[in-house]
Amino acid sequence: MYSIILFILCLMLLAISLYFNKDSIMSPSNLIVFSFTVAVLCGLLNYDNWNFHVSSNTCFLVFGGLASFMLAATLCKYIWFRAVQTEPRKRTRILSLPLPIYIIGIAYPLFVMLRTSRELMSVVQTYGGGADNVMDAIGKYDQLIKFSGQAVGLSSLTDNMNALAQALMYYWLFRLLKTYFDAKKIDAWAFVALVVSLPVPLLSGSRNGLYQELVAIIVIGLLYYTAYAGHKIYISFKAGMVSAIVVLVLLFSFKPLLSLLGRKDSLNTFDYISLYLGAPVKNLDTYLKGYTVPAPNRWGEMTFANMRSNFSFIFGDSVPDWNIWQPFQTVNGRSLGNVYTIFYPLVYDFGFIGAIVMMMALGTAAQLVFEYARKTLAEHRSGFPIATCIYGIVAYGLVFSFFSNRLIATVFSAQFVKFLMVWVLIGMVYRIRLNGFKKPYPLTLRLPMCKHIMEDE
């Protein structure tokens, strides 16, 4: 009964969100509510197989969390940004790049992948008993870093090289979109560099990095489109069909990528997709019905576990044991994995009311980044849009909130800090080339209040 009620409530929230954000389809509220609506629907499609009878606690938590997120985001939008009007973006200057830069941009991720694959084989040989090939090594490496409880990882140099290659992917995306919308041309070299950069995160043994990049490409692309159209989207039948095909390709890539990374699964494609999308809500319900795990020892222990582990030299934390915190769940002989949506760590650390408050804080922060990203595209002239790149990563966390704590884990990470460092450097180079040394450094940001217009990066 509560499962159907939860689905109806999610549909209602989605309709309300679309109404209040009809000028911005990629808004935080739309993304997170849509993802949970699809997740609950997939749970209902497996109602008997998974015993998808969610409790009133789950219904209250999911609905209350999403509603509080929407409320905070909407207030942020209409209080801070209500007086800011933007016009359709004008054509701006496109900085040219010499051919050697493009060639380096294409060759660099290829070199990074080669170096990473060789190092992976060495790490797996040391900790996991060896691997027959690179794909086998990727799968074993993924299991080692998640479940071994050991500080297994690539060397600092290789890790930093990977981060640089992934951060530069956003730059090539920027050049591709800017050239297309400003000059109605396709920068073929930037497109090649972008495509070559996409597989880099797969060598970490996880699809998450690739999905992060794909979500960012879609979201940033639509932000550019709306910026040039004056924040009004008119989707033709052809564009709608292309979008539907892209979504289907992404969904049906889940299982093939699993096999590519050395992991095996006996489920057919449809069952695997529904499991991937719907099982986390069922697992959350299992926890809320009384499944016990060790109590937190300190504030935000699970919510910020990734940050504590990444910055262990500050917090003194070791690698978290996810086998204890997020045990695998099985229902009717069917494995439902060990992911529990974004709400699990929030409730674990802060309780029901604390989780609602945290969702309000996340809604406010995500909306601020989103509005700043939109204004950056609509108002700056030729600089590198750092805020838009940041929202591309935030959007990934929002879309996958139905799955796990991706939003907080991705933003509060060492990799994100490295991305920011690269993007700020690119922004400074662009500013120097465009304006010389007329403006002071380092770059300063100013949040808008009511009638204030935000300054560009």
Side-chain angles (χ1 to χ4, degrees), residues 95-279:
L95 294 180
S96 61
L97 284 182
L99 182 58
I101 299 297
Y102 282 113
I103 295 176
I104 293 173
I106 295 171
Y108 178 71
L110 294 175
F111 172 75
V112 170
M113 286 188 284
L114 176 61
R115 177 186 173 89
T116 304
S117 61
R118 295 184 63 180
E119 191 165 321
L120 273 179
M121 295 290 288
S122 176
V123 171
V124 172
Q125 181 68 37
T126 303
Y127 294 95
D132 297 330
N133 50 58
V134 174
M135 294 298 107
D136 186 32
I138 291 174
K140 290 184 176 180
Y141 177 74
D142 179 51
Q143 296 300 309
L144 284 171
I145 59 177
K146 287 181 178 178
F147 306 118
S148 69
Q150 304 180 70
V152 179
L154 301 174
S155 66
S156 297
L157 176 59
T158 302
D159 188 58
N160 291 334
M161 291 175 67
N162 273 272
L164 176 60
Q166 293 177 57
L168 289 176
M169 188 282 299
Y170 291 82
Y171 172 70
W172 298 121
L173 174 63
F174 156 70
R175 285 201 63 88
L176 185 65
L177 292 172
K178 183 172 178 58
T179 304
Y180 176 76
F181 284 107
D182 274 350
K184 297 302 179 184
K185 297 179 181 179
I186 296 178
D187 189 335
W189 287 105
F191 177 76
V192 174
L194 172 66
V195 172
V196 171
S197 300
L198 286 176
V200 171
L202 285 176
L203 291 178
S204 66
S206 174
R207 297 162 295 180
N208 299 339
L210 177 61
Y211 291 154
Q212 175 182 304
E213 293 175 337
L214 294 177
V215 169
I217 289 172
I218 294 172
V219 170
I220 294 174
L222 285 173
L223 286 178
Y224 262 90
Y225 181 87
T226 54
Y228 279 85
H231 297 290
K232 296 178 182 178
I233 291 184
Y234 301 96
I235 300 179
S236 64
F237 175 77
K238 180 180 178 181
M241 290 298 295
V242 171
S243 300
I245 291 173
V246 170
V247 171
L248 289 174
V249 169
L250 289 177
L251 288 175
F252 282 93
S253 70
F254 284 3
K255 197 170 189 303
L257 281 175
L258 189 76
S259 302
L260 182 64
L261 297 178
R263 295 190 241 169
K264 308 297 180 182
D265 198 287
S266 60
L267 296 175
N268 60 50
T269 301
F270 175 79
D271 288 340
Y272 182 77
I273 291 174
S274 65
L275 175 70
Y276 189 94
L277 299 178

